[in-house]
Amino acid sequence: MKEDKTVGVVIPIYNVQDYLRECLDSVINQTYKNLQVVLVNDGSTDENSLNIAKEYTLKDERFILFDKKNGGLSSSR
């Protein structure tokens, strides 16, 4: 795959504070760097899922965040 092609990745988020950093670090560490990562917070009610997502958008410009009220996995995708 040529490096000039952008690959989009959608990551739905709902109460995954215990696993989210591992997931996002895995995406950051991919060898293919031309990524656009869309984080969709689906109304998480845990303490940190949204904060972790915000943190990653600040440290990597390839990440963008949408925060919406809960609508389920299909709605997030």
Side-chain angles (χ1 to χ4, degrees), residues 55-69:
E55 174 188 322
Y56 277 76
T57 63
L58 294 174
K59 76 177 174 180
D60 193 319
E61 64 186 17
R62 299 174 297 171
F63 287 74
I64 60 173
L65 173 63
F66 291 96
D67 185 27
K68 62 184 229 38
K69 72 178 193 171

Side-chain angles (χ1 to χ4, degrees), residues 6-13 20 23-24 27 35-42 53 56-57 60-68 75-77:
T6 300
V7 174
V9 179
V10 177
I11 301 176
I13 298 169
L20 189 54
C23 172
L24 301 181
V27 172
L35 300 172
Q36 180 69 53
V37 183
V38 180
L39 307 176
V40 182
N41 182 54
D42 190 29
Y56 277 76
T57 63
D60 193 319
E61 64 186 17
R62 299 174 297 171
F63 287 74
I64 60 173
L65 173 63
F66 291 96
D67 185 27
K68 62 184 229 38
S75 171
S76 295
R77 289 182 180 162

